[in-house]
């Protein structure tokens, strides 16, 4: 990151010497004018970080987060509450830091400041092999993501959970992509988590770590600049039901069923499924579904607005063809336009009005006067003559 004139210091690991360290002559174009930073804490030594008016912004390779002030005696004077500090930070520029840092594709919800240690979770998940997450990227801009563990009804093994994150990262970087279909192999969407892994990860700490890992992954999935649809055949249970709530749309076959079975396991949804379900069908209906009082067959799911359509066929290959044809209506056009549309909708869903409008403005700036815009104007001009 470049720095030029004005009082702001930027550091990576140990303090740098040179222009960026001169408090009277430095300015970070991302964060704006700020104050000098104290030495970074040891566990953040490998992260880029800036300090702005008593708030630390930690910028890693794949994530950026706002954390509370460093707990040093010299910084205790006049410390504001976390809420006040966050509010102050969000007002520091015309396009807020939250929009710039926290919302972009590829950023995660949790990191070490939340007690989440991703590499440690990965090491534990590697102990549970089996199945795979397969990704096919087609020339027409449609990707097909397949949960492939048919001997266990496509339950998520530890290896599959890790592969899902890898595929999400791959899709984040697929600039030609426009749409995505998520399906399960052999006419079953997914029966949730592999019980072998669930039994082995039996402590509350293990449960919370897995929760944070999957919330990170599925939030990144939900923010993909691709229009996604879950193709639900057979069962979608537990974690499988949670996964489909991260898709933009859902299609079901006549015989399929969605069930949030967490209560029967003595827990609640932990991959973000309950939160997303409320946004999809509302709190009253979500309570009915999560409590088990309402089991979602295809007709009930359609009536609730949980799914868009019930497909005619039940054949695995024919269903996939139907889903692709259904998705094509949303992805006609250049990839950059479709992807900007999805980003704009994601911003409207997650950000406050001001920030969402600013995001819409900035996305427009990437398209206005661009090749697709100029071609469309020329095409319309020919018809108007």
């Amino acid at each position: 990151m470049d720095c030029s004139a004005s009082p702001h210091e930027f550091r990576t690991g140990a303090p740098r010497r040179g222009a960026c360290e001169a408090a009277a002559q430095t300015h970070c174009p991302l964060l704006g004018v700020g104050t000098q930073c104290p030495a970074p804490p040891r566990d953040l030594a490998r992260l880029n970080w800036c300090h702005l008016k008593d708030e630390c912004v930690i910028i890693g390779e794949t994530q950026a987060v706002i954390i509370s002030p460093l707990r040093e005696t010299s910084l205790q004077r006049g410390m504001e509450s976390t809420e006040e500090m966050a509010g102050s930070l969000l007002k520091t520029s015309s396009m807020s830091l939250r929009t710039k840092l926290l919302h972009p594709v590829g950023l995660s919800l949790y990191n070490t400041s939340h007690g989440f240690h991703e590499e440690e979770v990965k090491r534990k998940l590697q102990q549970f092999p089996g199945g795979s997450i397969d990704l096919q990227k087609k020339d027409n801009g449609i990707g097909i993501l397949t949960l492939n563990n048919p001997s266990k009804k496509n339950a998520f093994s530890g290896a599959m959970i890790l592969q899902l994150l890898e595929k999400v990262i791959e899709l984040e970087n697929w600039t030609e992509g426009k749409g995505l279909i998520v399906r399960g192999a052999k006419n079953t969407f997914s029966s949730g988590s592999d019980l072998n892994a669930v039994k082995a990860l039996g402590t509350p700490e293990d449960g919370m770590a897995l929760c944070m890992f999957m919330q990170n992954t599925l939030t990144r999935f939900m923010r993909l600049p691709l229009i996604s649809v879950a193709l639900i055949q057979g069962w979608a249970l537990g974690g499988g039901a949670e996964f489909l709530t991260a898709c933009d749309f859902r299609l079901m076959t006549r015989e399929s069923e969605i069930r949030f079975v967490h209560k029967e396991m003595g827990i609640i949804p932990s991959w973000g499924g309950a939160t997303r379900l409320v946004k999809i069908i509302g709190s009253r209906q979500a309570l009915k579904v999560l409590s088990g009082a309402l089991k979602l067959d295809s007709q009930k799911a359609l009536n609730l607005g949980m799914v868009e359509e019930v497909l005619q066929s039940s054949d695995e290959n024919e269903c996939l063809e139907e889903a692709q044809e259904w998705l094509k209506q949303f992805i006609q056009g250049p990839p950059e336009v479709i992807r900007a549309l999805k980003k704009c909708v994601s911003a409207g869903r997650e950000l406050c009005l001001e920030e969402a409008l600013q995001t819409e403005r900035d996305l427009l700036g990437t398209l206005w006067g661009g090749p697709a815009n100029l071609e469309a104007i020329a095409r319309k001009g020919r018809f108007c003559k």
Side-chain angles (χ1 to χ4, degrees):
M1 185 177 295
D2 295 324
C3 293
S4 55
S6 181
H8 182 90
E9 184 178 56
F10 177 81
R11 303 187 183 212
T12 304
R16 286 184 178 176
R17 300 294 175 187
C20 291
E21 194 176 353
Q25 302 177 0
T26 57
H27 175 72
C28 174
L30 178 63
L31 299 180
V33 177
T35 59
Q36 290 191 50
C37 301
R42 292 178 183 175
D43 61 331
L44 298 174
R46 298 179 66 95
L47 293 175
N48 298 333
W49 68 295
C50 287
H51 195 269
L52 183 64
K53 296 182 180 178
D54 292 331
E55 288 123 347
C56 292
V57 178
I58 308 303
I59 308 167
E61 292 182 359
T62 60
Q63 57 189 336
V65 296
I66 301 168
I67 66 171
S68 301
L70 302 178
R71 299 185 180 275
E72 297 183 7
T73 303
S74 62
L75 294 178
Q76 293 293 332
R77 297 187 300 273
M79 186 177 292
E80 298 171 277
S81 69
T82 302
E83 291 82 3
E84 290 171 338
M85 289 187 297
S88 172
L89 186 58
L90 292 181
K91 296 176 183 177
T92 56
S93 66
S94 61
M95 183 181 182
S96 76
L97 289 179
R98 182 181 174 190
T99 301
K100 288 180 179 179
L101 296 180
L102 299 184
H103 184 69
V105 170
L107 303 187
S108 298
L109 298 174
Y110 302 109
N111 51 67
T112 54
S113 69
H114 303 93
F116 175 63
H117 302 278
E118 184 173 291
E119 293 306 316
E120 182 179 328
V121 178
K122 287 181 176 180
R123 283 194 295 272
K124 291 185 178 180
L125 291 173
Q126 287 169 354
Q127 302 172 34
F128 308 102
S132 63
I133 304 291
D134 304 327
L135 176 61
Q136 178 188 6
K137 294 183 287 189
K138 305 185 74 172
D139 293 338
N140 62 0
I142 293 178
I144 300 173
L145 189 75
T146 302
L147 314 179
N148 192 355
N149 193 10
S151 65
K152 295 189 175 182
K153 301 293 184 183
N154 299 323
F156 280 89
S157 65
M160 290 173 68
I161 290 173
L162 295 175
Q163 288 177 29
L164 179 60
L165 175 58
E166 293 170 1
K167 300 305 181 186
V168 169
I169 293 171
E170 185 176 344
L171 288 166
E172 287 171 349
N173 294 294
W174 185 31
T175 56
E176 297 81 18
K178 298 188 286 184
L180 181 68
I181 296 172
V182 182
R183 63 193 283 264
K186 304 298 183 184
N187 274 320
T188 297
F189 188 77
S190 173
S191 59
S193 298
D194 185 346
L195 288 180
N196 290 330
V198 171
K199 291 175 183 177
L201 301 172
T203 68
E205 292 77 16
D206 287 335
M208 289 182 65
L210 182 58
C211 166
M212 288 189 281
F213 189 95
M214 284 302 291
Q215 286 188 8
N216 273 353
T217 299
L218 291 182
T219 299
R220 290 176 70 167
F221 176 90
M222 184 175 65
R223 290 175 176 170
L224 285 172
L226 305 169
I227 298 175
S228 59
V229 56
L231 172 55
I232 306 160
Q233 299 168 275
W235 287 342
L237 308 179
E242 292 197 67
F243 189 6
L244 60 84
T245 65
C247 294
D248 299 312
F249 301 108
R250 286 150 291 279
L251 303 173
M252 291 180 77
T253 58
R254 285 191 298 270
E255 301 82 6
S256 34
E257 185 176 345
I258 301 170
R259 289 185 59 199
F260 289 79
V261 297
H262 305 78
K263 190 185 78 168
E264 298 171 22
M265 301 295 295
I267 57 172
I268 62 172
S270 59
W271 296 358
T275 300
R276 293 187 296 267
L277 185 66
V278 169
K279 293 181 180 295
I280 295 168
I281 62 173
S283 58
R284 289 174 60 250
Q285 300 297 345
L287 272 175
K288 294 177 184 178
V289 172
L290 294 172
S291 69
L294 184 60
K295 296 177 174 60
L296 293 178
D297 60 27
S298 58
Q299 195 56 51
K300 287 178 181 175
L302 183 64
N303 293 340
L304 275 180
M306 182 73 179
V307 301
E308 317 305 315
E309 193 171 309
V310 177
L311 300 178
Q312 297 300 312
S313 176
S314 296
D315 177 78
E316 183 176 16
N317 295 324
E318 290 179 7
C319 283
L320 182 58
E321 288 297 324
E322 276 192 71
Q324 290 183 77
E325 287 302 314
W326 188 89
L327 181 57
K328 284 178 182 177
Q329 65 185 306
F330 301 103
I331 62 169
Q332 299 296 326
E336 63 271 22
V337 177
I338 305 302
R339 295 165 67 83
L341 281 172
K342 173 62 186 290
K343 289 178 182 178
C344 189
V345 170
S346 295
R349 178 181 59 222
E350 296 188 41
L351 302 179
C352 70
L353 177 62
E354 180 182 352
E355 293 175 313
L357 290 173
Q358 291 168 357
T359 300
E360 184 175 317
R361 174 202 66 194
D362 293 330
L363 288 168
L364 174 67
T366 68
L367 299 173
W368 191 285
N373 179 226
L374 296 177
E375 182 181 337
I377 291 172
R379 186 169 58 250
K380 294 291 184 182
R382 287 197 297 272
F383 286 119
C384 291
K385 291 179 180 178

